[in-house]
Amino acid sequence: MSRAPSTRAWLAIASRVAAATFGGYAAAALLASALAVALPHISSASRADGVLIASLSGFAFHAAAALWVFSTRSARRAWAGLAGVALACAALLAAVPAAG
Amino acid sequence: MAPAPQGFRQSMAWLHTWCGLVCGWLLCAIFLTGTLSVFREPITRWMEARPSAATVPGAAGGASDAALQAAAGHLAAHGAGARFWRIELPREPGDALRLAWPPAAGARGGPQTAALDPASGALLPAPWGRRTEGGRHFMTFHYTLHGGVPGYWLVGWLSVGMLVALVSGVVVHRRIFADFFTFRPAKGQRSWLDAHNATAVLALPFLFMIVYTGLAIFYTSYLPWPLRAVYGADGAAHGRFQQELTHQSPPMRRARSGTAAPLHGLAPLLAQAQALTGQPPRLVVVEQPGDAAMVVRIHTRASGDPRTLHQAVGSVAFDGVDGAVLQVQRPLAGATPASAQAHGVMAALHLAHFGGWTIKWLYFFSGLAGTAMMATGTILFGIKRRRKVGKEAGPATPWAYRAAEALNVAALAGTAVACIAYLWCNRLLPADLPGREAWEIRGFLCAWLAAALHAACRPAARAWAEQLSAAAVLCLALPLLNQWTTGQQAWRHALAGDWQQAGVELVALGFGVALAWGAWQVRRALRKGIPG
C-alpha cells in the first residue's frame, strides 16, 4: 500500500480500466447480440423474446467482464480474453442468419 | 493507487476500494436524488403551491361538461394552428383542469398553458400556482445529471460500476452475515466499517434490484446491439421489435387533411374511454386540432390494484369529428404475453409504481440506507488513509487525499445543501418570473458548485460541520419560509387531509434534525481533536 507505484504499474492499471469499461462493453454487446440471434434457433423463444432476454443479460455480462479483467493475472491476459470472446461472437453473428 | 495485487480476494478488495471510491461520489448524488424522486409527485404539489379549485364528484375524468366545453373553446380561441392540444384532467381533489399547447408553427417560446375550474369552466388566474419542474427535477438529475445524452451515458457507466462494486464487496466481506450483527460504536475507523457493512447488507437485495432495473428500463438505448443484430439498424427496427413483443399495433397517426371541422363533445368520449378500458381517464390529447382528420386520444390511469406489480395503462383513440372509436389499447394483463410485461415489471420495480405509499416509504428508507452505505464507504477511505501516510500516488499523494476528502464533503453534504436550496429557490423566486423553472434548477446547480468550492477551501472537518449545519438550518426553516412566502402551513394541510404537501415539510424537518445531529457530532469531534 505504501510503495510508490512505477510508471509501468500505472500504465497496467490504466490498461485494465480501459479493458473493463470499453473492452467489457464491446464483449458484452457482442455476446448479447450473438445470444439474441442464437436463442430462437436453440429454444422456443421468439425473435423478440430473444432480444429481450439477451439485452437484459447484457448488463450482467458487462459487470462480469469488468470483474474478471481485474482478477486475472495481467492486463495483457485481460485484453486477450475479451478479444477471444468478442471474436467468437462476431464469427457466430456472421455465420448464423437472424431468424426471419 | 497501488498496482492491483495478486490473489483473487486481494484483487477484489483493491477493485472494491477504487471502483467504489471513483463511482461513489456521483452515485451518492444519484442515490439521494433518486430517493427523493420516490416522492416526486408530493414534491411537485408542494412546489406548485396551487390554491384549491372546486371538485366535481361522479363525472368521468373529474370535470363537468361545462368545463370541458370551456376547455375546448379556450384551446380553439388561443391554440389554433398548434400541432396538438393537451388537457390534463384533475388527479386529486382540488386540482384544476390544465390545458397546454405548443406555440403555432414559426412562433417562438415554450408551451402555452392555462388552468380552468373543473366545475364551472371559469379561467383561473395565471400563473395558477408556481411554474416548476418540481419533483421531476430530482428524477431528471437522477438519470441524466442534467447533462443531456453524455450525462445519461455517464449514469449508465456508473451503474455498471456500482454492480461491480457490489459484487466485489460481497466477495471481500466473507463474514457478511456475521458482520451485519457487529456494531462497535464510537470506535473511529471500526465504527465506520461496521456502519458501511450494516447498511450494505441491510439494503443489499434492494441495491442489486434498483441498479439492475435502472439499467433495464433503458435496455434498448444502453445496449441496442442485440436489437440491431436481429431487427436491423434502420429507424423502424425498434417499432417492429415492440410490435412483435407486445402484439399491439403502434399508435395510429393521421395526416392533416386541410379542411376545417369542429371538435366532437369531450364528455361522452371520456365516459366511453372509461367503459372500454376499465380505467379512469387521465389525459386528453387532440392531434391535428381543428382539422377534419383530427384524433382525440384519451389516456387512462392505472386503477391501483395492490395485488399486481405491473399495471399497464390503456388509451383509446377517437375520430375527433364524429366520435367513432379508431383504436383501443387495452390495459388488461391477460391480453399481453408474459415476456412483453418483463420490461413493464422492471420499470414498475424501479419506479415503485406498485404497492401504494407503504412501498414508497420502504423504497425511501432503503434508498437512504444505500446512500449511507456509499457515504460511509467513501468516508472510510479517507479515515484509513489519514492514519497511515501512504505513497500510493507518488509525490502527489497528500494532494490526492486532500482532493478525495473535499469530494466526499461535496458529494454528501453538498448534495444535501443543493437539494434543500432547490426548494428555497422555489419559494424565493417570484411566482410570475419568466422561465422560473429553469432558474430553480440553476439555483440547485449553483448551490452544489458553491458547496464543492467551499469544501475545497476549508479544512475537511470544518467543511463537514459547516455544510451539514447549513443544510440543517435550511431544512428546519423550510416551514417558516413557506408560511412567509405563500401563507401555507403544514399543519393546515394535514388538518385538510392533504398529507402529501404536509409530508414534504415533515420529511424536511426530519432531515433537518438528522443533519443537525450530524453537524453536532462533527463539531464535538473537532473540539476533542479526535480524527474522524
Side-chain angles (χ1 to χ4, degrees), chain B residues 282-330:
Chain B
R282 169 178 67 92
L283 179 71
V284 180
V285 179
V286 183
E287 293 160 12
Q288 333 280 12
D291 188 273
M294 73 182 136
V295 174
V296 176
R297 198 179 299 277
I298 296 176
H299 299 268
T300 58
R301 193 197 315 278
S303 36
D305 180 354
R307 289 166 303 175
T308 54
L309 193 54
H310 170 47
Q311 303 189 347
V313 290
S315 72
V316 182
F318 296 95
D319 187 295
V321 182
D322 63 13
V325 176
L326 299 175
Q327 190 183 29
V328 184
Q329 309 249 11
R330 282 201 172 75

Side-chain angles (χ1 to χ4, degrees), chain B residues 167-337:
Chain B
V167 175
S168 56
V170 170
V171 171
V172 172
H173 298 291
R174 189 169 15 177
R175 297 176 353 102
I176 199 155
F177 192 69
D179 277 351
F180 177 57
F181 294 101
T182 314
F183 188 64
R184 289 154 283 193
K187 293 261 186 335
Q189 185 181 330
R190 285 303 319 180
S191 306
W192 286 106
L193 181 59
D194 291 347
H196 182 60
N197 289 340
T199 47
V201 176
L202 182 70
L204 194 64
F206 173 80
L207 296 172
F208 268 115
M209 181 279 288
I210 209 76
V211 66
Y212 205 88
T213 53
L215 287 164
I217 285 182
F218 301 115
Y219 72 108
T220 53
S221 310
Y222 279 141
L223 211 59
W225 313 107
L227 197 152
R228 286 194 182 195
V230 174
Y231 287 91
D234 58 299
H238 188 263
R240 289 199 298 277
F241 167 62
Q242 280 300 331
Q243 195 179 339
E244 279 190 32
L245 192 65
T246 61
H247 301 283
Q248 286 213 355
S249 28
M252 48 99 42
R253 300 271 173 246
R254 275 187 181 177
R256 194 173 268 272
S257 73
T259 31
L263 180 66
H264 191 274
L266 291 175
L269 302 187
L270 287 174
Q272 209 178 342
Q274 178 150 14
L276 281 169
T277 59
Q279 294 179 331
R282 169 178 67 92
L283 179 71
V284 180
V285 179
V286 183
E287 293 160 12
Q288 333 280 12
D291 188 273
M294 73 182 136
V295 174
V296 176
R297 198 179 299 277
I298 296 176
H299 299 268
T300 58
R301 193 197 315 278
S303 36
D305 180 354
R307 289 166 303 175
T308 54
L309 193 54
H310 170 47
Q311 303 189 347
V313 290
S315 72
V316 182
F318 296 95
D319 187 295
V321 182
D322 63 13
V325 176
L326 299 175
Q327 190 183 29
V328 184
Q329 309 249 11
R330 282 201 172 75
L332 298 174
T336 41

Side-chain angles (χ1 to χ4, degrees), chain B residues 429-441:
Chain B
L429 290 173
D432 51 2
L433 178 75
R436 69 188 304 290
E437 65 272 32
W439 281 108
E440 286 176 7
I441 293 172

Side-chain angles (χ1 to χ4, degrees), chain A residues 1-5 9-10 13 16-17 20-22 25 28-30 32-34 36-37 46-52 54-64 66-68 70-73 93 98-99, chain B residues 1-6 8 11-12 14-15 153 157 160 163-164 167-168 212 215-216 218-219 221-227 229-231 240-241 244-245 339-340 342-343 346 385 388-394:
Chain A
M1 268 281 172
S2 52
R3 279 176 297 134
W10 271 106
I13 288 172
R16 282 194 207 234
V17 170
T21 40
F22 304 113
Y25 179 79
L30 278 162
S33 303
V37 169
S46 72
R47 271 190 346 155
D49 288 353
V51 168
L52 183 79
S55 306
L56 291 179
S57 317
F59 302 114
F61 295 160
H62 187 189
L67 285 162
W68 179 77
F70 281 96
S71 66
T72 195
R73 248 180 293 141
L93 278 173
Chain B
M1 196 185 287
Q6 302 298 313
F8 182 63
S11 65
M12 287 295 110
W14 183 92
L15 181 60
W153 276 93
W157 291 113
V160 175
L163 273 181
V164 168
V167 175
S168 56
Y212 205 88
L215 287 164
F218 301 115
Y219 72 108
S221 310
Y222 279 141
L223 211 59
W225 313 107
L227 197 152
V230 174
Y231 287 91
R240 289 199 298 277
F241 167 62
E244 279 190 32
L245 192 65
S339 54
H343 180 253
M346 295 256 187
R385 302 287 177 299
K388 48 182 175 190
V389 181
K391 296 196 187 71
E392 285 178 285

